[in-house]
Amino acid sequence: MVDSQRKKLEAAGAAEEVISSSKEEGEALTQAEVPAGPSPPDAHAEQTEPQEKTQSEERGRDGANNAGSSDAEKEEERILNLDELWQRLCDAPPECHSLLKKNLTQEIFDDLKDKSSKFNGRLEDCIRSGCENTDSGVGVYACDPDAYTTFAPLLDAVIRDYHKVSELKHPNPDFGDIDKLDFGDLDPSGEMIVSTRVRVGRSHDSYGFPPVLKKEDRVEMEKKTVEALKKLDGELKGSYHPLTGMTKETQKQLTEDHFLFNDSDRFLRAAGGYNDWPTGRGIFFNDKKTFLVWVNEEDHLRFISMQMGGNLKEVYTRLVKAIRALESSGLSFAKREGLGYLTFCPSNLGTTLRASVHIKIPKLSQTPDFKAFCDKYNIQARGIHGEHTESVGGVYDISNKRRLGLTEIEAIQEMRRGVEAVIAEEKKL
Ligand code: ADP
Ligand code: CIR
C-alpha cells in the first residue's frame, strides 16, 4: 500500500473514532429535537436548498472526482498555478476593488512568489480565492499562522487597509470589567432588535489553515477541541454534534435558525475552506443554544454567544466567561505581537470579535446614505444569513467592522454606539 493510501485510510479510521466518541456526548440531532432559539419569523424565506453534492465534493484537491466532466468543465475545475492566478488578477475587470488587487504589486509578487511558509504554504494558497473571485472584498487568506510573517509584505498591507490602522500595534486583550458594564439591553422595547450575537475566532497554534491542512489534521484538531469542550460547566455545558452523521434536515434547520454553518461560500471554497468536507467539522452547543462553538468552519474554532432580543450585556458576559474557561482548558491559541489572535482571513485577526444584532431597519436601509452612515460609525451591514447574503424583510445584520488595533471591550463599545445610532436614525425617518 502506498503511503498516501495508508494515510487516507488512517484518517478515515480516526474520523470514525472521534465521531463515535463525540456521539456519546450528544447524539446527532433530529429535526424534532432542535430546540427553539434566535430565529426571526421571516428569516427562512430566501434560504436555498442545500446542494445534493457540494462543489467541494465535486472538486477535491486531488482532482479525483472529475470523471465524466466535459472538457470545458475539466478546464474550469483545473487547479490554477500561481502564474495563471496572477494573470487573472492582472486581467481583472475594472469593477475589481479587492484589497488583494490594490495591494499585490508586481514588486511584492516577485518578492513572494518563491517563498514557502512553515507548513509549506505558498503565495498561491493565500491569493487563490481573490484571483478566482475578482469580486472579493479582501481576496486574501493566510495559508497558516506563519503566513503573517512569510508573506508579510502583502498581508501587512491588506491588514492596514482593512482595519484602517497605520501601524500594526494591536493591544493586549482587554475584555473590560464584566461586572461593571455600562450597557445592557440596546432595545428594551423589543421592537427593533431580533437577536444579538458575539463571536470570536481562535486558531490552534500548532496547525496550519485550510489550504495546508490534511484530513487527519482536522480530525486531530476536532478530537482535541472536543476534549476541551467536555470540561465546560454551568451555563456553558453542552454537547458536540459532528457534521458527519448529522442528517441533512437537521443541518438545514440549524443553519436556517442561524446556529450552524454550511459549505455555500464560494470565496471560502476557493480558499480550500471546504476541503475534505464535512470531515472534522461540527458544532457544540448548550441546552438553550446560547453558547456555541463551531469546529473547523472558516477558522479552527469560533466561540459564539447569542440569544433573542437586544441584551448585549448578557451575550457578551457569557462569551467572556467561555473564552476564559476555554483558555484554561488545555488549548493553546495562535497569537502574534502586534496582530493579536491569528485567523484564516486577515479581516478577522486581532480581537477576532464580531458583535452583531439582527435589526429591523426598513427605512434607514433604503436611504442612499446607508453605507456612508455605517462607515461613519465603523459598522458593517450584512444580510441575515451571513456574509454575502441578502437582507430579508428589512432585517439587517449590523456589526462592528474593525477587529484590530482596539481591545475587545472597545470593539463592543464601537458596535454598541453604532447600533444606538442606527436605532435613533431609523426612529427619526
Ligand atoms: P461570522 O463571520 O460572524 O460567523 P456570518 O456573517 O458568516 O458571521 O454569519 C454566521 C451565522 O450567524 C449566520 O447564520 C448568521 O445569520 C448568524 N448571525 C449573525 N449575527 C446574528 C445575530 N445577531 N442573530 C442571529 N444570528 C446571527
Ligand atoms: C472576500 O474577500 O470578500 C471574502 N474572502 C470574505 C472576506 C471577509 N470575510 C470573512 O473572512 N468571512
Side-chain angles (χ1 to χ4, degrees):
M1 194 191 305
V2 293
D3 209 22
S4 60
Q5 281 174 316
R6 187 179 307 112
K7 275 187 181 161
K8 277 188 183 167
L9 286 176
E10 282 168 1
E16 285 307 317
E17 209 178 294
V18 171
I19 287 148
S20 49
S21 70
S22 45
K23 270 192 182 167
E24 280 166 30
E25 283 299 293
E27 285 293 321
L29 294 174
T30 63
Q31 194 166 350
E33 287 171 305
V34 177
S39 175
D42 55 357
H44 299 178
E46 291 193 0
Q47 185 73 6
T48 49
E49 286 292 310
Q51 293 164 324
E52 267 307 295
K53 198 174 183 193
T54 66
Q55 214 174 323
S56 51
E57 283 166 330
E58 287 164 359
R59 187 185 165 176
R61 275 168 77 80
D62 59 9
N65 295 322
N66 63 359
S69 308
S70 70
D71 285 352
E73 280 165 349
K74 278 184 187 152
E75 177 56 22
E76 187 58 28
E77 286 168 10
R78 204 168 57 79
I79 310 269
L80 301 180
N81 66 32
L82 180 59
D83 288 330
E84 291 167 324
L85 292 169
W86 173 237
Q87 201 50 52
R88 279 215 182 177
L89 192 66
C90 293
D91 296 343
E95 310 83 75
C96 172
H97 296 298
S98 69
L99 300 185
L100 172 67
K101 172 80 181 163
K102 185 172 162 196
N103 291 289
L104 186 58
T105 59
Q106 180 76 55
E107 194 186 353
I108 294 182
F109 178 81
D110 291 339
D111 176 26
L112 301 181
K113 68 181 170 25
D114 297 318
K115 295 203 163 147
S116 293
S117 65
K118 188 171 157 197
F119 290 87
N120 279 326
R122 312 258 312 165
L123 182 61
E124 51 266 48
D125 297 314
C126 303
I127 68 171
R128 181 172 305 284
S129 182
C131 294
E132 290 184 1
N133 298 287
T134 53
D135 57 342
S136 292
V138 179
V140 186
Y141 290 88
C143 54
D144 60 36
D146 181 55
Y148 287 107
T149 307
T150 306
F151 302 111
L154 170 64
L155 282 157
D156 283 359
V158 167
I159 292 167
R160 279 196 204 93
D161 215 341
Y162 180 88
H163 296 275
K164 302 200 184 333
V165 291
S166 52
E167 284 180 292
L168 301 181
K169 262 178 54 181
H170 186 70
N172 286 327
D174 179 1
F175 294 91
D177 183 346
I178 54 169
D179 295 320
K180 292 190 187 138
L181 296 173
D182 61 353
F183 54 83
D185 193 327
L186 304 187
D187 177 30
S189 73
E191 283 164 16
M192 294 178 70
I193 297 182
V194 180
S195 50
T196 304
R197 174 181 184 266
V198 186
R199 61 84 162 157
V200 291
R202 290 289 183 271
S203 308
H204 294 284
D205 60 6
S206 46
Y207 294 88
F209 295 151
V212 300
L213 281 179
K214 297 193 198 77
K215 201 169 186 171
E216 53 265 39
D217 296 326
R218 289 194 173 83
V219 170
E220 249 175 47
M221 278 195 276
E222 183 188 40
K223 203 168 182 172
K224 284 183 188 166
T225 306
V226 171
E227 284 307 309
L229 292 171
K230 277 184 192 164
K231 297 179 190 162
L232 292 174
D233 57 13
E235 190 191 12
L236 303 176
K237 190 178 169 63
S239 49
Y240 181 68
H241 308 273
L243 285 202
T244 311
M246 190 186 283
T247 66
K248 285 254 184 298
E249 293 71 39
T250 300
Q251 284 186 44
K252 184 166 178 263
Q253 188 66 50
L254 285 171
T255 307
E256 285 180 2
D257 290 346
H258 308 284
F259 298 123
L260 184 60
F261 53 91
N262 59 24
D263 63 346
S264 67
D265 181 328
R266 72 186 148 90
F267 302 89
L268 190 52
R269 174 177 295 117
Y274 301 140
N275 292 345
D276 302 316
W277 182 274
T279 301
R281 278 85 172 185
I283 182 170
F284 170 94
F285 48 78
N286 64 1
D287 282 350
K288 289 187 182 161
K289 295 210 190 75
T290 53
F291 173 65
L292 305 94
V293 178
W294 286 357
V295 177
N296 285 321
E297 188 249 1
E298 174 173 326
D299 286 312
H300 297 163
L301 295 164
R302 287 274 174 99
F303 306 152
I304 301 162
S305 172
M306 64 198 283
Q307 67 189 50
M308 298 300 285
N311 200 320
L312 180 62
K313 179 180 179 171
E314 285 180 11
V315 172
Y316 178 63
T317 303
R318 185 184 305 117
L319 184 72
V320 174
K321 286 180 183 165
I323 295 171
R324 287 180 180 152
L326 286 163
E327 274 175 347
S328 54
S329 69
L331 298 179
S332 170
F333 303 129
K335 238 172 147 186
R336 178 75 43 82
E337 181 76 29
L339 294 182
Y341 289 101
L342 302 181
T343 50
F344 186 24
C345 181
S347 68
N348 277 322
L349 50 61
T351 59
T352 74
L353 186 147
R354 193 174 84 86
S356 64
V357 286
H358 277 183
I359 184 167
K360 293 175 198 157
I361 43 170
K363 294 179 190 156
L364 177 62
S365 59
Q366 292 313 304
T367 63
D369 299 334
F370 181 42
K371 166 105 181 31
F373 184 90
C374 291
D375 288 347
K376 183 171 148 200
Y377 289 94
N378 286 327
I379 53 175
Q380 185 187 44
R382 296 183 177 184
I384 59 159
H385 287 290
E387 187 150 41
H388 310 297
T389 65
E390 299 301 315
S391 156
V392 178
V395 182
Y396 280 78
D397 170 329
I398 299 286
S399 64
N400 60 300
K401 185 163 185 221
R402 300 192 305 151
R403 318 196 203 294
L404 182 88
L406 72 182
T407 65
E408 286 77 359
I409 187 65
E410 285 167 353
I412 285 283
Q413 293 286 15
E414 192 151 270
M415 172 269 198
R416 174 187 94 138
R417 278 191 295 275
V419 171
E420 284 172 352
V422 163
I423 291 176
E425 193 66 18
E426 178 72 15
K427 285 185 174 164
K428 257 198 253 163
L429 293 171

